[in-house]
Structures are given as C-alpha cells and as structure tokens.
Amino acid sequence: MKKQLAILGLTMALGGCILGPQTVEVVPDIKIAERTAQLSGPVAVTVYDERATPQLGTRGGIYKTTNFIYLDEQFARSIKVAVDNVLQSMGMEPVSSTTVPQVQVYMDELSYTVPYGDYVSGVDLKAAIRIEILKDGRRYAGRYVSEDHYRTIKAPSDSQNEEMVNAIINKVLARAMDDQALLNFLGGTAGS
C-alpha cells in the first residue's frame, strides 16, 4: 500500500511538470481612458497577422519542445470586433468599405516565454502591434509595445495562460486606442 501511494505521489508531482500544447481563445475587452475624444463618421477596420511564427512560445517544463501555445483561429476577427467596439464607443460607425477611413491593425509580435526552461517559475509576455490609418489620401502610422512579467510558484494552468495572453493583448490595444495623435488623425485634427 505504501509503495502504491509513493508511486501515486510521484506521478502527481511529475504531472505538474507535464504541460501539453494549448490553444488560447482570444477575447479582447479593451479598456480606454475616459478622456478619449469624440469621433464621428464611418470607418473600416482590418486586422493582419504579421507574426513570424504561429506559436507564442512554449509552456516550459520537461516537454518544452512540443508544448507550444497558439492563438485560436478566430483571433484576428476577435481583435477586429474589439477595435470596432472601441471606435463605435467613440462615435464612429464601423463598416465594410474601401471608400472610408481604413484602420489597419498589424499583429507584429506576441510572445510567451518561460525564462528558466525546465523549471516553470515565471512567464514573460510581449505584444507589439502597428496601426496604420489611411484617410483622405494621408497616412498615419503608430507602433505600440506592451510587456508583462509574471512570477509563479508552479506552471500556470490553461485558464491562467488564457487570462495572461488576453491581458497583454488588451494592454497593447488599449495603448493604441488611447494614443492622442492617432485619435487626432482619425478625427481630422492632425496636420498632414
């Protein structure tokens, strides 16, 4: 009986180190500052995935060469809906047209790094996006980067990973949507 309990205990202890691949559902909820300008008029938003690889990184642990983290297949659409919602809350009308101001969101980087490899004691996340706006023959371009560093006593669960990845996406999108220069350009108050 003691031998069986010891084997069970060892199996459970090792189980914490065995982390499988994960696909994160992206559900952005962008929080913007109250001071945001009131805008008006139609706008079209498009999201592009410009990342070098579909993997965000690996979850670390003993299977770090196979336990990749990915974004769900609908992530670009989810980001578009979130940006549409923010612009709509500012007074704009999201539409599908090439004759209105174009807001192009480029996901350049989204990384999930376990700094110490086999022993998961933390996670570093980084997100980088570009936003280009084409309006009345003029162009605005902005680049936004956010980083988060989490320290843990054990490897994050699937739900914790999903929460952290969504948090860094929200953070970088909020940084862009709070950029006064971007809002001024979109509102027509910026110089050419």
Side-chain angles (χ1 to χ4, degrees):
M1 182 67 165
K2 286 182 182 180
K3 186 176 182 181
Q4 290 171 333
L5 287 175
I7 291 171
L8 179 62
L10 181 60
T11 302
M12 290 177 70
L14 289 174
C17 299
I18 300 173
L19 305 167
Q22 180 182 357
T23 299
V24 171
E25 182 182 4
V26 177
V27 188
D29 182 21
I30 308 167
K31 304 295 185 206
I32 54 172
E34 290 292 325
R35 63 167 174 71
T36 307
Q38 285 298 308
L39 306 173
S40 65
V43 66
V45 175
T46 311
V47 177
Y48 300 96
D49 183 7
E50 296 289 310
R51 296 173 299 143
T53 176
Q55 299 99 1
L56 307 187
T58 71
R59 300 179 71 175
I62 60 175
Y63 293 111
K64 62 181 175 281
T65 58
T66 59
N67 61 7
F68 294 107
I69 296 183
Y70 302 90
L71 297 180
D72 68 301
E73 291 180 5
Q74 296 297 314
F75 89 91
R77 174 148 174 63
S78 299
I79 290 173
K80 178 193 175 339
V81 168
V83 173
D84 280 348
N85 289 341
V86 169
L87 293 173
Q88 191 167 27
S89 75
M90 295 179 191
M92 301 204 83
E93 179 191 354
V95 296
S96 295
S97 172
T98 57
T99 62
V100 301
Q102 303 292 304
V103 175
Q104 300 170 336
V105 180
Y106 297 88
M107 176 65 76
D108 288 334
E109 181 181 353
L110 187 57
S111 63
Y112 177 108
T113 307
V114 176
Y116 304 111
D118 290 345
Y119 180 68
V120 183
S121 62
V123 174
D124 296 335
L125 292 120
K126 182 178 180 183
I129 63 169
R130 280 177 294 131
I131 294 189
E132 294 185 7
I133 301 174
L134 306 172
K135 179 182 178 186
D136 300 329
R138 296 180 299 136
R139 180 178 168 273
Y140 175 88
R143 186 168 193 277
Y144 310 89
V145 178
S146 291
E147 296 184 43
D148 277 329
H149 309 281
Y150 297 91
R151 295 300 161 247
T152 62
I153 57 172
K154 64 178 185 173
S157 66
D158 287 6
S159 61
Q160 288 170 323
N161 280 335
E162 197 156 283
E163 190 176 310
M164 289 187 293
V165 170
N166 275 288
I168 195 69
I169 291 171
N170 287 335
K171 189 174 182 179
V172 76
L173 289 171
R175 179 165 286 168
M177 294 292 101
D178 275 332
D179 179 2
Q180 199 58 52
L182 180 150
L183 297 175
N184 288 344
F185 184 89
L186 202 49
T189 59
S192 53

Coordinates of all heavy atoms in Angstrom, one line a residue, residues 19-25 56 58-59 67-69 112 114 120 123 125 150 152 155-168:
L19 N 3.3 19.5 -19.3 CA 2.3 20.5 -19.8 C 2.1 20.3 -21.3 O 3.1 20.2 -22.1 CB 2.9 21.9 -19.6 CG 3.3 22.2 -18.2 CD1 4.1 23.5 -18.1 CD2 2.0 22.4 -17.3
G20 N 0.9 20.1 -21.7 CA 0.6 19.8 -23.1 C 0.5 21.1 -23.9 O 0.5 22.2 -23.4
P21 N 0.4 21.0 -25.2 CA 0.1 22.2 -26.1 C -1.2 22.9 -25.7 O -2.1 22.2 -25.1 CB 0.1 21.7 -27.5 CG 0.6 20.3 -27.4 CD 0.4 19.8 -26.0
Q22 N -1.3 24.1 -26.0 CA -2.6 24.9 -25.7 C -2.9 25.8 -26.8 O -2.0 26.5 -27.3 CB -2.4 25.6 -24.3 CG -3.6 26.4 -23.9 CD -3.5 27.2 -22.7 OE1 -2.4 27.1 -22.0 NE2 -4.5 27.9 -22.3
T23 N -4.2 26.0 -27.1 CA -4.7 27.0 -28.0 C -5.5 28.0 -27.1 O -6.5 27.6 -26.4 CB -5.6 26.4 -29.1 OG1 -4.8 25.5 -29.8 CG2 -6.1 27.5 -30.0
V24 N -5.1 29.2 -27.1 CA -5.7 30.2 -26.3 C -6.9 30.9 -27.1 O -6.7 31.4 -28.2 CB -4.7 31.3 -25.9 CG1 -5.4 32.5 -25.2 CG2 -3.7 30.7 -25.0
E25 N -8.0 31.0 -26.5 CA -9.1 31.7 -27.1 C -8.9 33.2 -26.8 O -8.8 33.6 -25.7 CB -10.5 31.3 -26.5 CG -11.7 32.0 -27.1 CD -13.0 31.6 -26.6 OE1 -13.0 30.8 -25.6 OE2 -14.0 32.1 -27.1
L56 N 3.2 31.2 -29.9 CA 3.6 32.3 -29.0 C 4.9 31.9 -28.3 O 5.6 32.8 -27.9 CB 2.5 32.5 -27.9 CG 1.1 32.7 -28.4 CD1 0.2 33.2 -27.3 CD2 1.0 33.8 -29.5
T58 N 6.6 28.3 -25.8 CA 6.3 27.0 -25.2 C 6.0 27.2 -23.7 O 6.3 28.3 -23.1 CB 7.4 26.0 -25.3 OG1 8.5 26.4 -24.5 CG2 7.9 25.9 -26.7
R59 N 5.3 26.3 -23.1 CA 4.9 26.4 -21.7 C 6.0 26.0 -20.8 O 5.8 26.0 -19.6 CB 3.7 25.5 -21.5 CG 2.5 25.9 -22.4 CD 1.3 25.0 -22.2 NE 0.7 25.2 -20.9 CZ -0.4 24.7 -20.5 NH1 -1.1 23.8 -21.2 NH2 -0.9 24.9 -19.3
N67 N 5.3 21.5 -26.3 CA 4.1 22.1 -25.7 C 3.9 23.6 -26.0 O 3.8 24.4 -25.2 CB 4.1 21.9 -24.2 CG 5.3 22.5 -23.5 OD1 6.0 23.3 -24.1 ND2 5.4 22.3 -22.2
F68 N 3.7 23.8 -27.3 CA 3.5 25.2 -27.8 C 2.2 25.8 -27.4 O 1.2 25.1 -27.2 CB 3.6 25.2 -29.4 CG 5.0 24.8 -29.9 CD1 5.2 23.6 -30.5 CD2 6.0 25.7 -29.7 CE1 6.4 23.2 -30.9 CE2 7.3 25.3 -30.2 CZ 7.5 24.1 -30.8
I69 N 2.2 27.1 -27.4 CA 0.9 27.9 -27.2 C 0.6 28.6 -28.5 O 1.5 29.2 -29.1 CB 1.1 28.9 -26.0 CG1 1.3 28.1 -24.7 CG2 -0.1 29.7 -25.9 CD1 1.4 29.0 -23.5
Y112 N 5.3 34.4 -25.6 CA 5.1 33.8 -24.3 C 6.4 33.1 -24.0 O 6.7 32.1 -24.7 CB 3.9 32.9 -24.3 CG 3.6 32.1 -23.1 CD1 2.5 32.4 -22.3 CD2 4.4 31.0 -22.7 CE1 2.2 31.7 -21.2 CE2 4.1 30.3 -21.5 CZ 3.0 30.6 -20.8 OH 2.6 29.9 -19.7
V114 N 9.0 31.3 -21.1 CA 9.4 30.8 -19.8 C 10.9 30.9 -19.6 O 11.6 30.2 -20.3 CB 8.9 29.3 -19.6 CG1 9.4 28.8 -18.3 CG2 7.4 29.2 -19.8
V120 N 9.4 25.9 -14.4 CA 8.5 27.0 -14.7 C 8.2 27.8 -13.4 O 7.5 27.4 -12.6 CB 7.2 26.5 -15.3 CG1 6.3 27.7 -15.7 CG2 7.4 25.6 -16.5
V123 N 6.6 33.7 -16.3 CA 6.3 33.8 -17.7 C 6.5 35.3 -18.1 O 6.0 36.2 -17.3 CB 4.8 33.4 -18.0 CG1 4.4 33.7 -19.4 CG2 4.6 31.9 -17.6
L125 N 5.6 38.0 -21.1 CA 4.8 38.2 -22.3 C 5.1 39.5 -23.0 O 5.4 40.5 -22.3 CB 3.3 38.1 -21.9 CG 2.8 36.8 -21.5 CD1 2.3 36.8 -20.1 CD2 1.8 36.3 -22.4
Y150 N 5.3 37.8 -15.2 CA 4.6 37.1 -14.1 C 5.5 36.1 -13.4 O 6.3 35.4 -14.1 CB 3.4 36.3 -14.6 CG 2.3 37.2 -15.2 CD1 2.3 37.4 -16.6 CD2 1.3 37.7 -14.5 CE1 1.3 38.2 -17.2 CE2 0.3 38.5 -15.1 CZ 0.3 38.7 -16.4 OH -0.6 39.5 -17.0
T152 N 5.6 32.9 -10.7 CA 4.7 31.9 -10.2 C 5.4 30.8 -9.3 O 6.7 30.7 -9.5 CB 3.9 31.1 -11.3 OG1 4.9 30.4 -12.1 CG2 3.2 32.1 -12.2
A155 N 3.7 26.0 -12.6 CA 3.3 26.3 -14.0 C 1.9 26.8 -14.1 O 1.0 26.2 -13.5 CB 3.5 25.1 -14.9
P156 N 1.6 27.9 -14.9 CA 0.3 28.4 -15.0 C -0.7 27.3 -15.6 O -0.2 26.6 -16.5 CB 0.4 29.6 -15.9 CG 1.8 30.0 -15.8 CD 2.6 28.7 -15.6
S157 N -1.9 27.3 -15.2 CA -2.9 26.4 -15.8 C -3.3 27.0 -17.2 O -3.0 28.1 -17.5 CB -4.1 26.4 -14.9 OG -4.8 27.6 -14.8
D158 N -4.1 26.2 -17.9 CA -4.7 26.7 -19.1 C -5.4 28.0 -19.0 O -5.3 28.9 -19.8 CB -5.6 25.6 -19.8 CG -4.8 24.4 -20.3 OD1 -3.6 24.3 -20.1 OD2 -5.5 23.6 -20.9
S159 N -6.3 28.1 -18.0 CA -7.1 29.3 -17.8 C -6.2 30.5 -17.4 O -6.5 31.6 -17.8 CB -8.2 29.0 -16.7 OG -7.7 28.7 -15.5
Q160 N -5.2 30.2 -16.6 CA -4.3 31.3 -16.2 C -3.5 31.8 -17.5 O -3.3 33.0 -17.7 CB -3.3 30.9 -15.2 CG -3.9 30.7 -13.8 CD -3.0 30.0 -12.8 OE1 -2.2 29.1 -13.2 NE2 -3.0 30.5 -11.6
N161 N -3.1 30.9 -18.3 CA -2.4 31.3 -19.6 C -3.4 32.1 -20.5 O -3.0 33.1 -21.0 CB -2.0 30.1 -20.4 CG -0.7 29.5 -19.8 OD1 0.1 30.2 -19.2 ND2 -0.4 28.3 -20.1
E162 N -4.6 31.7 -20.6 CA -5.6 32.4 -21.4 C -5.8 33.8 -20.8 O -5.9 34.8 -21.6 CB -6.9 31.6 -21.4 CG -7.8 32.1 -22.5 CD -8.8 31.0 -22.9 OE1 -8.4 30.0 -23.6 OE2 -10.0 31.1 -22.5
E163 N -5.9 33.9 -19.5 CA -6.0 35.2 -18.9 C -4.8 36.1 -19.1 O -5.0 37.3 -19.5 CB -6.2 35.0 -17.4 CG -6.6 36.2 -16.6 CD -6.9 35.9 -15.1 OE1 -7.7 34.9 -14.9 OE2 -6.3 36.6 -14.3
M164 N -3.6 35.6 -19.0 CA -2.4 36.4 -19.2 C -2.3 36.9 -20.7 O -1.9 38.0 -20.9 CB -1.2 35.6 -18.8 CG -1.0 35.4 -17.3 SD 0.6 34.6 -16.8 CE 0.4 33.0 -17.5
V165 N -2.5 35.9 -21.6 CA -2.4 36.3 -23.0 C -3.4 37.4 -23.4 O -3.1 38.3 -24.1 CB -2.5 35.0 -23.9 CG1 -2.6 35.4 -25.4 CG2 -1.3 34.1 -23.7
N166 N -4.7 37.2 -23.0 CA -5.7 38.2 -23.2 C -5.3 39.5 -22.6 O -5.6 40.6 -23.2 CB -7.1 37.7 -22.8 CG -7.7 36.9 -23.9 OD1 -8.2 37.4 -24.9 ND2 -7.8 35.6 -23.7
A167 N -4.8 39.5 -21.4 CA -4.4 40.7 -20.7 C -3.3 41.5 -21.5 O -3.4 42.7 -21.6 CB -3.9 40.4 -19.3
I168 N -2.3 40.8 -22.1 CA -1.3 41.6 -22.8 C -1.9 42.1 -24.1 O -1.5 43.2 -24.6 CB 0.0 40.7 -23.1 CG1 1.2 41.5 -23.5 CG2 -0.3 39.6 -24.1 CD1 1.7 42.4 -22.4

